[in-house]
Amino acid sequence: MAVPEVHVRPYWELTFDADGDPDPARRDRLLREVRERGVRDLVVFAHGWNNDRSIATRLYDRFFAPFPALAPGAHLGYVGVLWPSMRFSDEPIPDFDPSAVPAATAPRTTLDKGTRQALHEVFAGQDTVVDRLARLLDEQPDRQGVFDEFGGLVAQLVGTPAVAPDADAEADDADERHAAPAMFRKDTRGVCLEFAEALEETAQGVASFRWPAGVSKVWQGAHELLRQATYFAMKKRAGKVGRAGLGPALGRLAHDAPEVRVHLVGHSFGARLVSFALAGLPAQTRNVKSVTLLQGAFSHYAFAPQGTLHGQQARIDGPLVSCYSHFDTALGVMYPLASRLAGEDRDIAGLGMRWGAIGFDGIQSVAGAVRSSLAEVLRTGVPASGCVSVDAAQVVRYGPPPSGAHSDICHEELARVVLGAGRVPH
């Protein structure tokens, strides 16, 4: 199937590999043409975790669509960031995935062909491990020790040098540093049951979902355990691509086209990517005029004094806006559970606050941060600077379990937030 077209113009793509190295031809084309086309305000959008190029392109097309009419007097340009994100193709993404079907059953417990291929690509050199994991999920045996075997194999995947933490700087806060292996030092069957029960929690009130029982329920949790293992790989990758790839590219843009004002937008792990791009900006670079995070899948303490991005909001010549929604069950239920299970702390008290995501309850523990409703910022405007948390549940509210409204972001109201944060002329 052909990759969908993005219809706004002018539009460019910036492509990065897993190490953050750019496709030089695409980067240089952007640097050359952005001035030729007279662009004044450049909106740069980074997709999230569970995306491939086709879905990312469809997302960009839909999200960018309202911009020309909302700012007819602006000289806008658009960039879609493409980075190698793990795609669990057996989890359809509403609105962006043409194969998505209404959620009438529980999530799959086996791996389809596309997901297996993606795992082989992400965890290169681990073909035997991936194939064994797939067989166990297919067969769902119920014998002593098999879940420990499964957990050991998953741990082997996330423990490879390609995905192991490089340094504390890649963690969002102190509680997440070096955390991934801890999940696999626990009783694997118990961890799988916790994931299965969390999946059920995401579907409370959705009568059409049918949930397995017995050993099938544990294997459903095992499938989620494997999916969460890719979370750690992609979380690290998003930060690396932002810091080593997008940040320096924006520095080149500031040098070659200093008059262009940049507005960064990120969804899910793409929000982490654009946030880490701030840490990768060359010294004295001041072309980033706003950053808007849509359902950001990283710690709500990232910009706090204990967070690894503390102070990076000062690299923005404008506001840092985090749009969040309590209808996002991927971030409200699965994210804190996975973060807690990955850490050493067994106390679940305050789970949501300690392990919370910035896309579920906004920016936390940053002095002077502003909290507002979507209706209010649309009525009165986005503050001109500082950290701003916007409750977007007014529009970000629909989606099937287990992710809920995590991908429900293509709304004119959110496009208006981006334009307002960047002070883009109408």
Side-chain angles (χ1 to χ4, degrees):
M1 183 178 358
V3 175
E5 181 183 357
V6 177
H7 292 86
V8 292
R9 292 291 184 273
Y11 170 77
W12 298 272
E13 289 180 346
L14 277 177
T15 302
F16 299 95
D17 67 15
D19 293 320
D21 294 327
D23 177 327
R26 293 191 177 211
R27 180 200 58 199
D28 293 347
R29 180 188 172 200
L30 168 65
L31 295 174
R32 180 178 68 254
E33 294 182 0
V34 70
R35 297 192 73 176
E36 296 174 358
R37 302 294 293 269
V39 171
R40 173 62 174 163
D41 290 279
L42 188 68
V43 185
V44 180
F45 197 155
H47 65 79
W49 168 24
N50 200 27
N51 283 213
D52 56 23
R53 185 186 176 198
S54 176
I55 291 174
T57 305
R58 188 171 288 106
L59 164 63
Y60 298 152
D61 186 45
R62 290 198 59 203
F63 190 82
F64 287 148
F67 279 70
L70 291 173
H75 298 282
L76 285 168
Y78 309 88
V79 172
V81 174
L82 299 175
W83 60 285
S85 173
M86 173 67 200
R87 169 80 171 111
F88 260 68
S89 57
D90 55 7
E91 181 186 330
I93 301 177
D95 299 329
F96 308 141
D97 188 346
S99 66
V101 295
T105 63
R108 295 178 56 135
T109 58
T110 59
L111 300 179
D112 66 7
K113 181 179 179 181
T115 302
R116 290 179 66 167
Q117 180 179 346
L119 286 168
H120 282 298
E121 292 173 357
V122 170
F123 300 100
Q126 295 277 27
D127 292 355
T128 301
V129 174
V130 171
D131 290 342
R132 176 59 176 163
L133 288 168
R135 283 197 301 273
L136 288 173
L137 287 168
D138 284 339
E139 297 168 4
Q140 298 188 13
D142 186 16
R143 61 179 183 271
Q144 188 170 357
V146 71
F147 288 101
D148 288 335
E149 178 192 357
F150 187 89
L153 290 168
V154 176
Q156 187 172 335
L157 281 184
V158 298
T160 59
V163 299
D166 288 334
D168 288 357
E170 283 300 331
D172 289 336
D173 56 51
D175 286 326
E176 293 183 345
R177 293 170 186 168
H178 303 303
M183 182 186 297
F184 308 107
R185 294 198 295 270
K186 304 174 188 290
D187 170 57
T188 305
R189 187 184 183 104
V191 169
C192 292
L193 275 173
E194 287 198 61
F195 276 127
E197 289 165 0
L199 288 169
E200 291 185 19
E201 184 180 343
T202 68
Q204 287 183 354
V206 183
S208 61
F209 259 61
R210 299 192 299 272
W211 299 98
V215 69
S216 293
K217 177 176 179 176
V218 186
W219 280 109
Q220 182 181 336
H223 179 276
E224 184 64 18
L225 172 62
L226 175 58
R227 200 175 75 91
Q228 291 295 336
T230 71
Y231 156 90
F232 290 104
M234 294 304 103
K235 178 180 180 181
K236 177 179 181 294
R237 180 176 293 179
K240 188 169 189 177
V241 171
R243 188 197 298 269
L246 182 58
L250 295 176
R252 286 279 303 272
L253 179 64
H255 179 270
D256 291 4
E259 71 282 2
V260 175
R261 307 169 73 249
V262 175
H263 312 284
L264 299 179
V265 183
H267 171 236
S268 187
F269 272 169
R272 189 173 196 265
L273 191 157
V274 299
S275 296
F276 272 80
L278 299 174
L281 288 174
Q284 309 306 317
T285 299
R286 300 293 294 176
N287 60 341
V288 177
K289 304 301 178 180
S290 67
V291 176
T292 304
L293 312 178
L294 304 174
Q295 304 311 117
F298 63 110
S299 174
H300 55 196
Y301 293 130
F303 294 94
Q306 67 268 40
T308 194
L309 291 173
H310 173 55
Q312 292 299 329
Q313 60 268 34
R315 302 302 309 274
I316 311 168
D317 189 20
L320 169 69
V321 181
S322 173
C323 294
Y324 67 93
S325 171
H326 66 274
F327 292 110
D328 186 336
T329 49
L331 299 183
V333 177
M334 304 309 298
Y335 175 91
L337 174 63
S339 297
R340 194 265 295 177
L341 287 174
E344 300 292 349
D345 189 355
R346 297 176 181 271
D347 181 9
I348 64 172
L351 177 64
M353 278 306 297
R354 179 169 186 181
W355 304 107
I358 202 169
F360 184 74
D361 57 8
I363 300 165
Q364 302 291 328
S365 298
V366 174
V370 174
R371 302 184 74 83
S372 182
S373 68
L374 178 61
E376 184 177 355
V377 297
L378 293 179
R379 183 176 66 253
T380 64
V382 179
S385 62
C387 294
V388 184
S389 296
V390 176
D391 185 349
Q394 171 185 335
V395 295
V396 181
R397 57 189 303 116
Y398 297 114
S403 295
H406 186 62
S407 295
D408 186 21
I409 61 168
C410 290
H411 298 281
E412 180 181 311
E413 293 88 345
L414 298 183
R416 290 170 61 191
V417 170
V418 173
L419 292 168
R423 298 297 189 269
V424 177
H426 295 177

